[in-house]
Amino acid sequence: MTPPLQQPVRRSALRRRGTLVAAGIPIAVVALLAGAAGPAAAASAGSPGVNDPYFPLAGNGGYDVEHYDLTLGYDPATGHLDGRAVITARSTQQLNRFNLDLNGLKVTSITVDRAAASFRRDGQELVVTPRHTIGKDREFRATVTYAGIPQPVTDPDGSLDGWIPTDDGAFVAGEPQGAMTWFPANNHPLDKASYDFTVTVPQGRSAVANGVLLGQTTTGGRTTFRWRQSEPMAAYLATATVGTFKVEQFTTPGGLRIYNAVDPREAAAAAPVLKKLPSVLDWESKLFGPYPFRGAGAIVDHAPQVGYALETQTRPVYDRAPDLGTLVHESAHQWFGDSVSLTTWKDIWLNEGFATYAEWLYDEQHGGQSAQKTFDELYTTPEDDELWSFPPGDPGSGEHIFEAPVYSRGAMALHKLRQTVGDRTFFRILRAWATDHREGHGTTAQFIHLAERQSGKHLGGLFHTWIDTAGKPSRP
Ligand code: ARG
Ligand code: ZN
């Protein structure tokens, strides 16, 4: 499921050339041209990336995944993972070859529509050549069987990302790149899909993925958990975190199905915060519109080596007992980042600025300090502070996407918008953003456009100053 935005523009140009050829160029020339671009040669290789400027090899061109069906077995004692991914996709061009993203692990076989396909590895690219060319706009099914000891990737900012082993399982989070450390994927938020997970772990451990638990069965000392994420999800938001967890399941008064999994070592510290999850989700639903997914909850692991939490869809994963601000932040991402996805990592402030501003709003509406006060305090930071080191709308590279200008200055930009348009319009804009782009994507330009439409004001100057311009704005 990819937005029209990604539609390869070159295809229509090619098609037009084909028509021209048919319209009356001598046969020999037609044959020659056909070698380059005519109908006979229209099948080509899908590109190895989707042209994301920060992560050029992330994602792949030529197809769109509709569904991942992942069957995994994990042995925490050895760190060994067995996997089978059945990927249902639709081609966006005639394809004689396409790529998936997979880092490490050993691939033992690939079939495409039941016929054995040949494949080779090239860094994080898994290059698949199906036996038969796939027509344009066809649904096809690729089955990849693989195994090995997954290795997390190290992101440009130095943090571990992907399948991260812990002392009792694995902390599994993939922003921005790590999905490819545990399953073959079209690993870019442009391509969202639904997921089924069937994960088998030693009895006594739990495997916690996204969405809703369909069931669990134990045989021969191993337990299999089946999870379904039916709303579209970006690959980086998938999880299958494994550990020894205390599990609680309940339905909130508002009807949300909660599944919390907590490492017993974090349970005491986590309890008072997790108790607030239903009211936090309820408060956010009032502010941002209905909760976008069928399942909810939290995974609180004991993984001090990770150093961050992630808004894994429906069920954020925390590397330790979170504080309330972090819970509010990861929950707000369910609307901003998960339901409404990025089209490019450069727009990351649409995720982090919004989730940070949700924390400010939570404080303001729960007896803490006002968002204005938080803004004012931040504005006093000196010009040479890292807060002003780059504009939120242009972190420059993948190295900087999780830094203060994205989070705090991104939230400051939203506060400026609120000041300019007033509370009523501001909250209408937030809700419209979450509603209009629900289960889809949004760009910075689209957000500005929406804010202008809702407020009837020209906001180009405001966003230029707060989102696009380097350095500390001269006026708060
Ligand atoms: N999106 C996460 C958050 O808001 C941060 C993820 C950081 N990931 C990383 N690889 N550094 O809290
Ligand atoms: Zn965040």
Side-chain angles (χ1 to χ4, degrees), residues 419-461:
Q419 279 181 346
T420 307
V421 303
D423 278 16
R424 272 177 72 93
T425 305
F426 176 73
F427 290 110
R428 206 171 62 224
I429 292 168
L430 289 189
R431 265 193 304 276
W433 182 244
T435 308
D436 297 357
H437 298 267
R438 185 182 169 114
E439 295 191 5
H441 295 84
T443 65
T444 298
Q446 288 170 334
F447 181 70
I448 296 171
H449 186 72
L450 171 74
E452 290 190 324
R453 220 171 50 222
Q454 294 279 344
S455 65
K457 289 192 150 89
H458 288 295
L459 299 167

Side-chain angles (χ1 to χ4, degrees), residues 108 141 149 343:
T108 47
R141 183 170 292 186
I149 297 180
T343 60

Side-chain angles (χ1 to χ4, degrees), residues 6 47-60 188 190 343-344:
Q6 202 218 359
S47 64
V50 294
N51 291 323
D52 190 292
Y54 293 0
F55 298 94
L57 290 177
N60 305 283
H188 192 279
L190 262 178
T343 60
T344 168

Side-chain angles (χ1 to χ4, degrees), residues 60-142:
N60 305 283
Y63 66 93
D64 218 13
V65 178
E66 293 167 344
H67 186 74
Y68 294 89
D69 188 347
L70 305 179
T71 304
L72 308 171
Y74 187 59
D75 179 13
T78 60
H80 189 266
L81 179 77
D82 269 311
R84 192 188 69 217
V86 181
I87 299 167
T88 308
R90 183 169 284 277
S91 56
T92 55
Q93 66 183 62
Q94 215 182 93
L95 276 179
N96 55 17
R97 199 170 87 201
F98 63 89
N99 286 19
L100 289 159
D101 300 304
L102 184 69
N103 201 53
L105 302 168
K106 185 172 168 51
V107 175
T108 47
S109 84
I110 302 184
T111 63
V112 175
D113 291 334
R114 295 221 187 83
S118 62
F119 58 91
R120 65 184 166 81
R121 308 295 298 269
D122 180 10
Q124 73 179 64
E125 299 299 316
L126 171 57
V127 184
V128 183
T129 305
R131 171 100 50 88
H132 310 289
T133 292
I134 300 165
K136 187 184 160 158
D137 204 23
R138 290 293 159 79
E139 189 171 89
F140 64 98
R141 183 170 292 186

